[in-house]
Every structure is written in structure tokens, then in C-alpha cells.
Amino acid sequence: MNKKEYLQLDAVDIASLIKKKEVQAKEVIKAAVDRMEEVNPTINAVVFERSKRAYEELDSLSSYELPFYGVPMLLKNISQNLEGEPISSGSRLLNHYIANHDAHFVKKLRDAGFSFLGHTNTPEFGLKNITEPEIYGPTRNPWNTDYSPGGSSGGSAASVAAGIVPVAGASDGGGSIRIPASFTGLFGLKPTRGRTPVGPGYGRSWQGAAINFVLSRSVKDSAAFLDLLQTVQPEAAFQTPLYTEGYRNILNKPLPKPLRIAYSTKSPVHTPVSDEAKKAVEKMVKWLDRQGHIVEERDLPIDGIQLMKEYYIMNSGEMNATVRSLEKAIGRPLTKDDMEIESWVLHIAGKSISAAEYSESLAAWDLAAEKMAHFHRTYDFYITPATAFPAPKVGELTHSKEAQFELQKKVEEADKVEQQQIVYDMFLPSLTYTPFTQLANLTGQPAMSVPIHMTKDALPLGVQVMTQKGDEHRLLQLAAQLEQTDLWIGMKGNPMFKN
């Protein structure tokens, strides 16, 4: 299999060719490894590589009949543990940590026959919407390497957009699938809370805000992965009923008409939104109108700024809990020199959060979910920009040494009210790029980014679509229709993908 052939195939297509014995699995793995060796020195997407083990594991798999036997993929370097392999969560504290078990998410993929080539770059503890950890350095966008692919699943997005693998493991706790999808021309689906496996050892991630899934170039790949991964997991904190019709089975079924659809291009936190992002939404709105749907501009009945403050309370508490756990494991107190500034600021702020305040914060998420459930009784979809701007330049959103010193000093001297304001202000430059994605994480709704706009600077920009819990099938149907139109950008114009 040559490079040109490999780059044209998605995971479902590769699986079909292997099953028909039109191509050998080892040929496919070699094509993926060759591509990784070619482009990874430029984009820095893969931080742990295990191609030798992947070849060896092919011989031990039980059957060619496994649905994805020999299909190469990469996993995200946080929460997607692979037994016997390093997983550091982008942290120098965990640089030598070796996983002693497969994550349930990974086991499902292993049992389906996937060949894991390694782990992809992620910001420390998945806390940022860019991928520039101090330990590994920045991942670069295949469309233009001066720019970021976003985060926190930036390494996965870059590896798929550069053609290393057709699909890569990702996770989304505040937009970490949809943000890099928007910045790199990929399809990015965040499933309903409880849809995919968690653990072992925990039953929720970020109190249900975060969920594991994938980034893909094709809608049918994401549909196939959702068929494979959907679960009702008894030990998990959240369950969602299985979708029994099969996600791939409904891709070609038309959506009912007319749907009633709401849209907005206003930032929920009152930050600027670029003309390019507005154009992307307008493009989608016009297309939906031509399809016979009823589309109305509508603001949500939710205080976006307050909801972000509730989100940061969770982030603070969770980071403090992470530090406490690491201190027990390492056997010493951690200091500011052990972690990056965002992790430290959240940890210090989290020490001041009371149990009652944390509980009240989660109650605010539930109230937002209730309001969105009422909203979706009227509107089938809610459309916004996926990101308010195209990708930032590498380094643009990373704090300078001087700014880091000031943040550390401020947060350590502040009271708890001031600390939460420091957290908000610290993330505000990043939030200005990505104010639209967090809502779905806090309400538990499914949401997707579809690649339907190219900016004048030749960078892709996605549009986000949200719907009510459990209705991923409707998002996939819409995406499948869009994929057949000239609106769909995909990899068209991606210079690295052509090379």
C-alpha cells in the first residue's frame, strides 16, 4: 500500500480491505508508521510511539474477523491507558508512569482489533484549548505549522489531519474534541454523557463533563466508533440507553422535515466573535433554509459568564484533588515547580472551595441542563460557531515567564473570591477563542463540529451543532448530509495532506 492509497482511506474502508484480504494488515501498519516518521518531526503530534509492539500484536490477535483487525490508530495521552505503556497526561510529574491496565475505553478498541501505534500530545492534565506542554513542546497544525491545532486533543487532531492515522482517540471536557476539529478540518463529535466507557477505578470524569471518544476525517468512522463504544456500564456514574438502530445504519436516512432549528453567533460570555465564524454559521443557516427547515436566530436563556464560573469551580476542585492524589503516590508535597502555571493556579484556588460551594456549582450545571431540555422541546438543533476564531498561532496563548510569576503570586495571596476571578482572567484569552463548547459538557448533551468553512487565510473553521441528550443519531444524519455537499471542507486545501 503506497502513501497516496493510504491517505484516501478512512478506518472503515481499511477494515473492509483487510477483511477481504485485498491488503495485508502489516502493509497498512507500515504505511501509517512511514507517514508518522515523515510528518511527526514537523507537527509533534505523537509523543509515545510503539510501532514495533503493534506489529507483534497483529500476530497474537485471535481472528481476521475482528471488525477492525489491523486498523491503525493512536490514543490520547490522558485517560486512555494502554497496559504496559507510558501515559503522562502531559505532565513531567508522570513522565515515567507506566499504565498497569487498559482503560475500559481502550479495551473495547483492542477487542475490536485496532492496532495502537502510540499516544498523542496533550496539554498538562488536559486543561487548555491548545497543545503546548512544557515537557513535549507544541503540536503544530498540519494546515499551517505556524498555528496550533487546538486542544486538549490537539495531538490527535494533528495526527489525523496529517494522515498518520484515519482516526485517533480524543476526549472532551470543555470542547477538547470540537475545538481541534474546528481548527483542523475534522469531524468532531462529543457524545451524550455516559455514552462511552469510563474507568476502571472511577465512574465519572470531571463530574461528567468529560467523555472519551475520537476525532475522524469521515462521518461514517465516527458513527462506526459510536456503534462499537456505546455502552451501559453498571459501575459508571451515568448511563445512557443504547441506540439500537445502529449509527452507521441511519446515516443515509433523511432527517424529517421541517426541523425547527435555532442559531446564534453571539458569544455566551460577551467576548468578540470573528466575521469568519459568523460567515460559517450563516453558510450553514442558508443551506438548512434551502433544505426546507425552519431556522431562527435565538439566544439561550442561560447566563454564560456565570456558567463558566461554575465550570472553573469544578476545574479548581478537580485539580486540587489530582494534586492530593499525586502527593500521596509520590510521598511528598508538590510545589509550583512540579507543574505548569494553570495547574498550580487551579490547585491553589481549589484548596479554598468548600464542599457546599462545589455542590452548588454542580447544581447550576443541572439547572442549565433543565433549561436546555425545555429549549429542545421547541428546537431540534442549536447552532453556533464551534470556535469564535480560527486557530491561534503557536505560543500566542501560552503565558510568558513574567505572567506566570505574577499569576502564582496573585493566587497565593488572594482570598477565595479573588482566586476564582484570577482563574477566570487567566483563561479569558483562551476562552475568547472558544466560548461556545463548554455548555454541552456541563449539560451532558451531544454536540459536534462540522468542517464547512475555509477562512481567507486558508485555515478551516467549524460550525457547532447541539441537540438533546441521546440524539447523536440526528447529529450524524445531519453531518452525513453535509458531507455530501460542497460545503464540506474536509482535507481539501490541506497542504500537508497532499504531500
Side-chain angles (χ1 to χ4, degrees), residues 349 410-411 413-425:
K410 279 184 182 179
V411 78
E413 294 175 353
D415 63 31
K416 68 178 180 182
V417 174
E418 293 169 334
Q419 285 174 339
Q420 285 304 307
Q421 188 60 49
I422 290 166
V423 169
Y424 193 97
D425 292 341

Side-chain angles (χ1 to χ4, degrees), residues 9 18 61 71 73 168 175 258 306 372 375 470:
L9 299 170
I18 292 173
L61 289 175
V71 176
M73 73 173 293
Q306 185 58 43
M372 289 305 295
F375 182 85

Side-chain angles (χ1 to χ4, degrees), residues 167-212:
V167 68
S171 59
D172 193 317
S176 292
I177 287 174
R178 290 157 290 154
I179 291 165
S182 176
F183 289 160
T184 61
L186 299 179
F187 177 61
L189 174 70
K190 183 202 85 72
T192 300
R193 180 179 294 159
R195 177 69 76 192
T196 65
V198 297
Y202 59 95
R204 72 189 77 202
S205 183
W206 276 10
Q207 300 304 320
I211 187 169
N212 281 299

Side-chain angles (χ1 to χ4, degrees), residues 137-299:
T139 296
R140 296 180 178 271
N141 195 322
W143 289 79
N144 185 328
T145 54
D146 289 337
Y147 291 84
S148 172
S152 63
S153 305
S156 292
S159 68
V160 175
I164 297 174
V165 287
V167 68
S171 59
D172 193 317
S176 292
I177 287 174
R178 290 157 290 154
I179 291 165
S182 176
F183 289 160
T184 61
L186 299 179
F187 177 61
L189 174 70
K190 183 202 85 72
T192 300
R193 180 179 294 159
R195 177 69 76 192
T196 65
V198 297
Y202 59 95
R204 72 189 77 202
S205 183
W206 276 10
Q207 300 304 320
I211 187 169
N212 281 299
F213 195 51
V214 298
L215 279 154
S216 68
R217 292 194 296 264
S218 74
V219 177
K220 80 171 183 283
D221 269 4
S222 284
F225 270 79
L226 207 55
D227 279 327
L228 177 67
L229 290 165
Q230 68 164 331
T231 186
V232 175
Q233 194 176 348
E235 64 270 38
F238 308 103
Q239 284 90 25
T240 294
L242 297 177
Y243 182 70
T244 57
E245 289 189 51
Y247 292 104
R248 280 193 66 195
N249 293 338
I250 52 83
L251 290 184
N252 295 321
K253 290 184 179 180
L255 286 163
K257 292 183 182 180
L259 294 176
R260 195 168 179 188
I261 300 167
Y263 76 96
S264 176
T265 58
K266 296 177 184 176
S267 165
V269 296
H270 311 310
T271 47
V273 177
S274 69
D275 289 340
E276 294 280 14
K278 292 175 183 177
K279 286 178 187 175
V281 171
E282 289 166 7
K283 197 180 289 186
M284 171 83 94
V285 167
K286 289 177 181 177
W287 180 82
L288 288 165
D289 184 67
R290 291 196 300 270
Q291 302 306 304
H293 300 297
I294 301 165
V295 190
E296 305 171 1
E297 190 168 9
R298 176 77 189 273
D299 295 334

Side-chain angles (χ1 to χ4, degrees), residues 332-350:
R332 67 169 176 85
L334 299 184
T335 73
K336 61 181 175 57
D337 296 323
D338 288 311
M339 64 195 77
E340 296 183 26
I341 189 61
E342 293 83 5
S343 304
W344 182 253
V345 169
L346 286 169
H347 158 57
I348 295 298

